[in-house]
Amino acid sequence: MNGKGIYLILLSLLFGCNLPDAKTGRELAYHFDQPARIWEETLPLGNGRIGMMPDGGIEREHVVLNEISLWSGSKQDTDNPHAYRALADIRRLLFEGRNDEAQDLMYKTFVCEGAGSNLGDGANAPYGSYQLFGNLVLRYTYPDESDSIAGYRRRLNLSEAIASVSFKRGGVNYQREMFTSFSGDLGVIHLVADADRALNFSVGMNRPEHATVAVDGRDLLMRGQLPDGVDTLEMKGTRFASRVRIVLPKGGDLAATDSGLSVRSASEAILLVSLGTDYFDKDGVGPSLEECLSRAESKDFATLRREHTLAYRSLFDRVSLNLGNGERDHLPIPERLAAFAQDKDDPGLAALYFQFGRYLLISSTRQGLLPPNLQGLWCNTIHTPWNGDYHLNINLQMNHWPAEVTNLSELHLPLIEWTKQQVHSGERTAKAFYNARGWVTHILGNVWEFTAPGEHPSWGATNTSAAWLCEHLYTHYQYTLDQAYLRDVYPTMKGAALFFVDMLVQDPRTKYLVTAPTTSPENAYKMPNGSVASICAGSTMDNQIVRELFTNTIEAAGILGVDSAFAAELAMKRDRLMPTTIGKDGRILEWLEAYEEIEPTHRHVSHLYGLYPGNEISVAHTPELAEAARKSLQVRGDQSTGWSMAWKINFWARLQEGDHAYKLLGDLLRPCVDEHTREVKGGGSYPNLFCAHPPFQIDGNLGGTAGIAEMLIQSQTGWIEFLPALPSAWKNGSFSGLKVRNGGEVSAKWTEGLLTEARLKAVVSGSFQIKLPANTANLSLKKNQKPVSLPVIDGMLTVDLRQGDELVITL
């Protein structure tokens, strides 16, 4: 953080002002003018491990508590002894065109042993479920309950990661601030009344099941244990506990009650909320909770706030985005979303949404812990939708699309470590189901290393998930050029590639190598006999992912100087995969045969993986495929689930059609909750900006943020291109701090849609190519603030930079 940023933070602490963005000078926040009526109106707080979602109630405030590792379930043996014995027959039926019969056989033989995900309700099954930690309930009393409420405001400040509530009642101003401390690793709630002895409240905790609550000394203690899914008589799963301690800096009366703690006649109170599980620490969570509370209560609120803010902003302040000021910044967020749905005229909302995605990623994961799940860090139920697990046919991967480009590279590491953790189980699965070397995983993932096919082959047979995860391993290298890191993850990449060396089989009809059996994720087609099937011999997405895995593994082996013979074998196998193919209607084939589609507007657009996040299809290198991808998207349509629309933003940005990408951003921001009935209608955004599948899934938020970045900067083609898909709505603007491949950090300014300044800073030494725009008549270059002359060939500028060097391009 620069000196100006630190100065602004200190200024806010001294004078109680709200922090603007340190680089743009604009405040990044949204607000409501009433308490939350549904969970999706509450404000998400998180520090990568613990989460809080307060609803801002006036008499009764409900704060949902979460902890990233609170999972039921346990490790299990999912090897199916019938699977490999049936594999040859399954393949034979596929190659004979009897795919429906192959699918029927798979339902009988080629599924995991046991209940699998229990059809998405694994809370009491071995698979398990991510669950609500508990609820913190504050009940406030006022001198005169009949007094009216004035000036109510409930606000989430993204610049500081702080939620606040303020209002006036009976002549007294009440203020609340809450945050999940990035420095102290606990929740902090600060309550203030500006009249003496006017703050009166009680505190309780609860959980729907498997927990007890009691007063323990001066703390409120909740503890419990979840089911492991095996023992039905006794809880043997994850243990958890939480302690709440109240500090009264200016006096007041603190007492224990039958249900919790009570405060009377105070004017200020600090609630410290410490919670944890034994997932990472099998010695128990009790002592660590008490240590955390003891450290925190020795500090005043200003110190707790300052330390939290400094730690959080070291991540958040790396990137700024200014798309212009609007007249709607002052509106409550539901009104702002409704207005944007009408005319799309609010450039600041897009910038806010972009930073909200970065905020969510920062808040829902951190190094040494788990990656964000389907709901990131936040849930409010025991039976979280789809178990709140790690879906591996796009969702977990989409969660990390903004990690590198939006300068949060270290937040990619929890996914990378989680991927490495799956290898041992994936090797057993590869052997049991395919008699193959290497490792594999399918669509389902959890914290218990589940790698087997799912219980329903129509969606559970997808087998390229490990390969897709390895794309993230290599992407992190492409942005950082850290060879020590590459050496560490190379065995994981090699193992995933080795699986396909053994698993790929020749289709006797075409002589191509195919992944059989497989699917095009969650989609189905009609066979010539009228039957509907999902299982197939190879799919376009599989081929694109496997081709990418082989290419990346070959490159990694070359960089590290290892495995030349294995790399040659991969190259040979890669050449025998069917290329991405354009059908008679001008669209890219989703399957390797021209099957009739059952649902032409299906939410998954898997056959365009090579357009994004892959790089097999591009306007520059494969214009015919790019045009076929465009036609495929036109038929697929724009309207879909939230995360699907986020994916399509990235597709259209790669096709360099900024206005279409912006149109989809507008669709993604469409309010999905009826203001009067509270009914959820289709994909879009909830009032608190959570993305609606529906229900809430965080992948749409994070995919949307990645899409906005993709509209502003691209580097996947081998060169850096500024503003490749700038929509006409963003006529003037600037950004700073975005990252590009090959170890660069970039910034830009533009006026009336034309680039006026671009900056490239080398994070590591290297050579960079930059595609210049057409308006280069007044081109000037400075390297480390000194004028420099560099050759421009066919619109491409090449520059060698040492670590720390900066090139400034002025147009």
Side-chain angles (χ1 to χ4, degrees), residues 585-637:
D585 60 2
R587 293 183 291 151
I588 291 175
L589 292 181
E590 182 163 357
W591 296 273
L592 305 190
E593 300 178 53
Y595 293 123
E596 180 183 346
E597 297 162 296
I598 296 298
E599 187 181 354
T601 58
H602 195 271
R603 62 192 177 277
H604 283 264
V605 197
S606 303
H607 50 311
L608 300 191
Y609 175 95
L611 177 61
Y612 188 95
N615 186 36
E616 180 178 300
I617 302 170
S618 71
V619 173
H621 296 307
T622 59
E624 297 85 2
L625 288 177
E627 179 58 29
R630 179 181 289 103
K631 291 181 179 178
S632 299
L633 286 169
Q634 289 168 343
V635 172
R636 215 61 157 200

Side-chain angles (χ1 to χ4, degrees), residues 190 192-194 196-197 247-253 265-270:
H190 187 225
V192 175
D194 71 352
D196 190 40
R197 303 169 64 86
V247 179
L248 301 176
K250 297 180 180 179
D253 301 320
S265 301
S267 59
E268 180 182 4
I270 304 170

Side-chain angles (χ1 to χ4, degrees), residues 46-51 66-71 130 181-182 185-186 275-281 361-373 376-377 390 396 400 410-422 446-447:
N47 70 352
R49 186 180 71 83
I50 61 175
N66 294 115
E67 208 276 357
I68 193 66
S69 64
L70 189 68
W71 270 76
Y130 181 63
S181 176
F182 278 76
D185 202 22
L186 81 170
L275 58 154
T277 79
D278 69 347
Y279 179 80
F280 290 106
D281 183 6
L361 184 57
I362 294 169
S363 300
S364 60
T365 191
R366 73 174 188 236
Q367 284 180 263
L369 298 179
L370 293 166
N373 58 50
L377 176 66
Y390 299 125
L396 178 61
H400 296 83
E410 62 266 60
L411 300 186
H412 222 158
L413 296 177
L415 172 67
I416 291 164
E417 291 303 315
W418 182 87
T419 299
K420 290 161 58 181
Q421 189 180 348
Q422 310 312 303
N446 60 12
V447 299

Side-chain angles (χ1 to χ4, degrees), residues 47 179-186 292 295 299 303-312 366:
N47 70 352
F179 55 87
T180 47
S181 176
F182 278 76
S183 55
D185 202 22
L186 81 170
C292 189
R295 286 193 301 269
K299 303 172 182 179
T303 300
L304 292 170
R305 193 183 195 280
R306 180 179 68 251
E307 291 176 347
H308 154 74
T309 305
L310 285 169
Y312 166 72
R366 73 174 188 236

